[in-house]
Amino acid sequence: MKFEQIRDNISECLSLIEDAKLKAGRSDKVTLIGATKTQSKELIEYIDANGLLTDVGENRVQELVEKFEFGKNLKWHLIGQLQTNKVKYIIDKTALIHSLDRQSLADEIDKQALKHNLIADCLIEVNMGNEISKGGIEIENIYRLLEYVEQKKNIRLRGLMTVMPNLQDKIALKKLYADFNKLYREFAGKASARHKIDVLSCGMTNDYQMAIEYGGATMVRLGRVLFGERNYNLGDR
């Protein structure tokens, strides 16, 4: 896809985000995260140089590390599953880790953040559809993980993240988003004051407007609708 088309796609999505906010009677900010999995370093440079996005997200640690220097003015998000042995590579590069879902990962994030003398902002990832194929903690275990993270002085929780099931039943999906929003509000009331619970990360190409209108999303993670199909044959990887 040509870069000029990507510019137009970003502009259109930003407009549709505002439309969804209007429908929901919202005036707060919704951040568009460009999910750049398999996209080129040249695209990152183009986005950065032209100020098209403020935030980009990578699913894989290796890609984030490789592309980081090409988007120095961008805020980088780790939006995919994170292995404990790879935390050290991205701890000082990410504005936000979206996929904290277990105690062992909290241990490693806290350890690496302490080494770098920083506070790591994280979201707890929730498996709203109880799908075996997806990451995220089960709903019933969220507060157990919250209590555990409260002991980690170098982690600051910012909210919750989920990847919703790919449901054809829109009514059922709307209900899931409403349930996620309710869970988020309850979670915000139980987290201690040292955290800053202000992020609800949900919504992708197929359902981001619904996520904003019914789920209260404050961050949406869009890839295909912005950049086209993923490019698995990049010459620069």
Side-chain angles (χ1 to χ4, degrees), residues 1-10 34-53 56-58 63 67 70-71 74 76 222-224 226-231 234 236:
M1 184 180 292
K2 294 182 177 180
F3 286 170
E4 292 78 7
Q5 181 62 55
I6 289 172
R7 179 195 290 268
D8 291 343
N9 291 347
I10 291 172
T36 53
K37 180 178 179 180
T38 78
Q39 302 300 328
S40 70
K41 297 169 184 176
E42 289 78 11
L43 174 61
I44 301 298
E45 286 184 310
Y46 178 76
I47 289 170
D48 194 0
N50 291 277
L52 300 184
L53 294 169
V56 292
E58 281 293 340
E63 285 197 63
K67 297 174 186 176
F70 296 92
L74 299 171
W76 288 85
L222 306 185
R224 189 174 68 254
L226 301 181
F227 310 123
E229 295 302 324
R230 289 171 175 168
N231 182 3
L234 290 178
D236 62 351

Side-chain angles (χ1 to χ4, degrees), residues 79-128:
I79 58 178
Q81 294 302 292
L82 180 57
Q83 298 174 9
T84 55
N85 65 344
K86 294 186 177 181
V87 173
K88 60 187 176 184
Y89 300 115
I90 54 91
I91 193 67
D92 60 340
K93 296 177 175 63
T94 52
L96 187 62
I97 295 171
H98 288 233
S99 49
L100 175 55
D101 62 357
R102 59 196 186 278
Q103 293 182 0
S104 60
L105 183 55
D107 289 340
E108 187 63 19
I109 292 172
D110 186 62
K111 173 184 172 182
Q112 296 299 332
L114 179 60
K115 283 185 179 180
H116 287 268
N117 192 31
L118 56 82
I119 303 298
D121 281 344
C122 298
L123 305 178
I124 290 181
E125 181 177 359
V126 185
N127 191 332
M128 287 298 293

Side-chain angles (χ1 to χ4, degrees), residues 124 137 141-151 157 186-192 194-195 197:
I124 290 181
I137 194 168
N141 293 325
I142 289 175
Y143 295 113
R144 188 180 306 164
L145 182 58
L146 172 61
E147 290 177 5
Y148 190 79
V149 174
E150 292 287 7
Q151 306 167 40
L157 293 175
E186 292 173 350
F187 178 83
K190 294 187 178 183
S192 68
R194 76 178 182 87
H195 300 293
I197 308 301

Side-chain angles (χ1 to χ4, degrees), residues 130-145:
N130 291 319
E131 295 177 282
I132 297 175
S133 62
K134 290 182 180 175
I137 194 168
E138 298 83 1
I139 294 172
E140 59 268 23
N141 293 325
I142 289 175
Y143 295 113
R144 188 180 306 164
L145 182 58

